[in-house]
């Protein structure tokens, strides 16, 4: 064997020295965060420790500074965990999510808040809203739209009855796998469990590979994963978290029909979020029932050159044929051009409710 140019022991010694330095610096950073907490509570006994705008800035800065060899997303993920641990030192954060354990919503919650946050599964979207509203948890995470299947109406409807603010968004690439347990007879799969949205996202693959298998819709992918533990002829479609939670094997990976399949989740809380420098705003607008109403609503966005990223219509529930519009656009309510545009929209509509301005998803 040829001699490598650098000796392995030497390299490991160098890694040990670097690790000691990283350890010292992380501890120094953590002490700094503890002091930040003291400063925050000295200013205000009701201080809010989690600062989404600052977290977005920290992560964006790291990504911009990074020159490799680790890619910027990977680097940001490491810093995400460091910040999550620092925040837990200031105040442990409790987050409710649409459960059960092992769902993509839990994955989104951990991606956004990091592993040091305490995440609590809820049985339904309105329960997530209720827990946050009641102050039992600090924040909530709910799905709002999927790139293949469209909006989650239940989430939009919950905003109509709630005073909760949107304080962040997180986009998750959704990869579905066909999962089996160690006792499954893989050549005898006659039943597949999953959530209806997941079936819809894997329709072509299932038609091609398991046209005869019965498709059984259940309340979540995690529930599908749980059910097959005891059925030797069944498989489940679910993601990595569910596979890990129930100790299942992937017999086919990434079976979603569209490779860019992703879901957007919203973070809900009590506070308004200051500008981060790259923000989005979400609104609900009720229009008067008159000709040209939609055109009147959209015109100020166009004139102020505000980039609308989403427009959804939902029945308003106050009258048979009244509709409300859910609108997302780029910008923050504290920006003068956004404030001016909103003023015009208010005049033209029956009601405008700002659901929140928040940093655009970083990771
Ligand atoms: O800058 C702050 O306000 C902090 O509390 C520090 C810190 C961090 O670790 O960088 C921690 C938690 C906040 O959510 C934002 C940032």
């Amino acid at each position: 064997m040829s001699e490598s140019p650098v000796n392995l022991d030497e390299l490991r010694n160098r890694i040990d020295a670097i690790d000691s330095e990283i350890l010292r610096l992380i501890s120094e950073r953590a002490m700094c965060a503890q002091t930040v907490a003291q400063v925050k509570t000295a200013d205000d006994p009701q201080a809010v420790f989690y600062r989404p705008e600052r977290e977005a800035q920290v992560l964006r800065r790291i990504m911009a500074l990074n020159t490799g060899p680790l890619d910027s997303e990977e680097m940001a993920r490491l810093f995400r965990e460091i910040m999550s641990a620092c925040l837990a030192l200031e105040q442990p954060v409790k987050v409710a999510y649409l459960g059960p354990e092992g769902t993509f919503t839990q994955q989104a919650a951990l991606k956004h808040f990091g592993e040091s946050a305490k995440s609590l599964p809820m049985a339904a979207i309105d329960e997530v809203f209720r827990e946050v509203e009641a102050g039992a948890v600090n924040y909530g995470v709910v799905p709002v739209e999927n790139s293949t299947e469209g909006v989650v109406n239940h989430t939009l409807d919950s905003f109509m009855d709630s005073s909760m603010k949107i304080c962040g968004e997180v986009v998750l690439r959704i990869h579905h796998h066909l999962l089996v347990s160690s006792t499954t007879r893989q050549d005898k799969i006659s039943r597949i469990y999953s959530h209806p949205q997941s079936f819809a996202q894997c329709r072509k693959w299932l038609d091609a590979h398991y046209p005869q298998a019965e498709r059984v819709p259940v309340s979540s992918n995690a529930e599908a994963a749980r059910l097959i533990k005891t059925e030797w002829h069944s498989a489940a479609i679910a993601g990595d978290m569910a596979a890990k939670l129930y100790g299942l094997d992937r017999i086919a990976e990434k079976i979603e029909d569209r490779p860019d399949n992703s879901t957007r989740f919203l973070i809900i809380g009590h506070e308004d979020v200051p500008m981060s420098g790259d923000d989005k705003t979400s609104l609900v607008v009720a229009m008067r029932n008159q000709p040209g109403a939609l055109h009147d609503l959209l015109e100020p966005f166009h004139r102020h050159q505000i980039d609308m990223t989403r427009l959804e219509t939902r029945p308003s529930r106050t009258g048979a044929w009244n509709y409300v519009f859910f609108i997302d656009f780029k910008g923050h309510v504290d920006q003068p051009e956004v404030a001016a545009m909103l003023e015009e929209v208010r005049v033209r509509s029956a009601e405008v409710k700002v659901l929140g301005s928040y940093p655009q998803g970083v990771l």
Side-chain angles (χ1 to χ4, degrees):
M1 237 172 79
S2 65
E3 270 285 299
S4 55
V6 189
N7 165 302
L8 186 59
D9 285 342
E10 249 173 58
L11 280 172
R12 285 184 173 164
N13 285 340
R14 217 193 287 169
I15 285 180
D16 282 344
I18 294 168
D19 285 351
S20 305
E21 193 65 359
I22 295 174
L23 174 68
R24 189 184 64 73
L25 290 171
I26 293 177
S27 301
E28 207 173 304
R29 191 188 192 286
M31 284 189 276
C32 226
Q34 282 178 314
T35 316
V36 168
Q38 285 165 14
V39 172
K40 283 180 186 166
T41 28
D43 286 351
D44 172 9
Q46 306 295 321
V48 178
F49 295 95
Y50 170 60
R51 295 291 170 83
E53 78 290 0
R54 173 66 185 155
E55 295 210 350
Q57 287 163 349
V58 170
L59 296 178
R60 285 181 200 140
R61 181 172 166 277
I62 290 298
M63 291 174 94
L65 283 175
N66 181 44
T67 53
L70 289 181
D71 81 32
S72 295
E73 280 218 3
E74 195 59 55
M75 195 55 107
R77 263 198 293 276
L78 295 173
F79 276 82
R80 157 72 290 146
E81 288 307 327
I82 294 175
M83 239 184 334
S84 176
C86 287
L87 176 61
L89 268 185
E90 294 186 37
Q91 180 206 43
V93 169
K94 274 202 264 175
V95 182
Y97 64 91
L98 176 64
E101 240 188 300
T103 53
F104 288 111
T105 315
Q106 184 183 25
Q107 205 175 321
L110 295 176
K111 182 179 177 189
H112 190 81
F113 287 97
E115 299 277 342
S116 300
K118 185 169 170 42
S119 60
L120 304 157
M122 298 294 136
I125 288 172
D126 26 309
E127 250 181 67
V128 176
F129 274 79
R130 273 202 300 276
E131 285 290 291
V132 183
E133 240 151 7
V137 294
N138 307 94
Y139 300 97
V141 183
V142 287
V144 68
E145 60 182 314
N146 176 270
S147 56
T148 320
E149 285 304 296
V151 300
V152 182
N153 288 328
H154 212 98
T155 295
L156 295 188
D157 291 345
S158 298
F159 277 112
M160 283 198 251
D161 308 322
S162 163
S163 60
M164 288 297 92
K165 308 268 171 59
I166 302 174
C167 57
E169 65 169 5
V170 50
V171 178
L172 199 68
R173 280 295 274 275
I174 302 291
H175 295 305
H176 291 300
H177 315 300
L178 189 68
L179 306 175
V180 294
S181 79
S182 52
T183 53
T184 309
R185 292 274 305 276
Q186 293 187 24
D187 54 337
K188 293 268 186 298
I189 293 172
S190 60
R191 182 184 290 167
I192 300 176
Y193 292 100
S194 198
H195 187 270
Q197 277 227 352
S198 308
F199 277 133
Q201 290 165 21
C202 305
R203 192 178 296 128
K204 283 193 202 140
W205 189 90
L206 281 170
D207 290 347
H209 294 87
Y210 289 89
Q212 312 296 349
E214 180 194 5
R215 297 176 199 177
V216 183
V218 289
S219 59
S220 72
N221 309 67
E223 173 63 6
R226 191 184 66 80
L227 282 170
I228 64 159
K229 285 295 285 182
T230 51
E231 292 186 18
W232 60 267
H233 58 102
S234 299
I237 294 176
D240 289 319
M241 279 208 103
K244 209 161 120 192
L245 184 68
Y246 293 104
L248 302 175
D249 297 324
R250 288 168 247 198
I251 51 168
E253 295 195 352
K254 300 186 180 172
I255 61 169
E256 59 277 4
D257 295 332
R258 293 181 49 147
D260 60 348
N261 185 30
S262 54
T263 297
R264 180 169 168 251
F265 299 84
L266 294 175
I267 316 299
I268 56 169
H270 291 270
E271 303 93 25
D272 289 318
V273 181
M275 282 195 275
S276 76
D278 185 9
D279 301 287
K280 256 187 187 173
T281 298
S282 299
L283 306 175
V284 196
V285 182
M287 290 307 291
R288 297 195 184 92
N289 237 341
Q290 62 192 35
L294 182 60
H295 175 268
D296 285 354
L297 167 66
L298 300 183
E299 194 275 332
F301 284 87
H302 176 67
R303 193 158 25 79
H304 289 273
Q305 297 195 322
I306 287 170
D307 185 3
M308 192 181 280
T309 55
R310 193 174 62 122
L311 174 68
E312 298 292 342
T313 314
R314 294 285 302 145
S316 80
R317 298 190 289 184
T318 56
W321 295 106
N322 287 334
Y323 289 91
V324 295
F325 298 98
F326 282 86
I327 298 173
D328 287 351
F329 61 88
K330 288 193 182 165
H332 191 285
V333 285
D334 290 346
Q335 285 169 245
E337 68 277 21
V338 171
M341 182 277 293
L342 276 179
E343 219 21 71
E344 290 179 35
V345 172
R346 272 185 221 283
V347 172
R348 293 164 186 227
S349 57
E351 200 188 330
V352 176
K353 184 167 156 191
V354 177
L355 300 179
S357 287
Y358 49 90
Q360 283 215 62
V362 182
L363 280 174

